[in-house]
Amino acid sequence: MITRLAAVFAGASLFLIASTLPVQAASYWRMSIFANYVGVGADRHWVEVCDKEADGVGVSGTFYFSSGSPVKVGDGNGSAAGCGNRTFSGTVIGVEACWNGADIVCDYRSVPS
């Protein structure tokens, strides 16, 4: 009886903890370029670019908007802790993520609305 009661309390505790955590998929969209990534917040105004590889190769993201010119954002500190981020007034509709090595590798994706 005690083990059953402990299991019920443990399950209820896990449910309470899980229900208070933010839902990543609903608040943030991300695409990878090798081990690096670019991301767009749920508001589609906040963006980030993260270089996660200590390989001496930079990563950048070019963000496209519903109106206006695209803007390029990089991770200024390379693979050190922290990412490059900006907030724009325009709505991000697409991202081109680039790995800027000897051979530049880029991938474009539309940001889901």
Side-chain angles (χ1 to χ4, degrees):
M1 176 74 168
I2 292 175
T3 53
R4 209 178 299 174
L5 189 56
V8 168
F9 282 122
S13 298
L14 287 173
F15 174 76
L16 287 173
I17 291 169
S19 64
T20 61
L21 296 173
V23 178
Q24 181 77 7
S27 62
Y28 185 79
W29 176 85
R30 172 159 80 173
M31 70 180 280
S32 297
I33 184 103
F34 301 110
N36 315 291
Y37 65 88
V38 298
V40 178
D43 64 0
R44 295 174 66 190
H45 298 282
W46 181 84
V47 302
E48 78 174 339
V49 177
C50 291
D51 185 343
K52 304 304 272 181
E53 298 175 293
D55 57 4
V57 176
V59 176
S60 63
T62 301
F63 297 89
Y64 295 83
F65 304 93
S66 53
S67 63
S69 300
V71 177
K72 188 174 186 175
V73 177
D75 185 350
N77 66 3
S79 61
C83 300
N85 61 73
R86 297 220 6 224
T87 300
F88 298 104
S89 58
T91 301
V92 178
I93 60 168
V95 176
E96 181 180 47
C98 293
W99 181 80
N100 302 308
D103 293 321
I104 296 175
V105 178
C106 296
D107 187 18
Y108 176 88
R109 303 241 177 106
S110 295
V111 176
S113 52

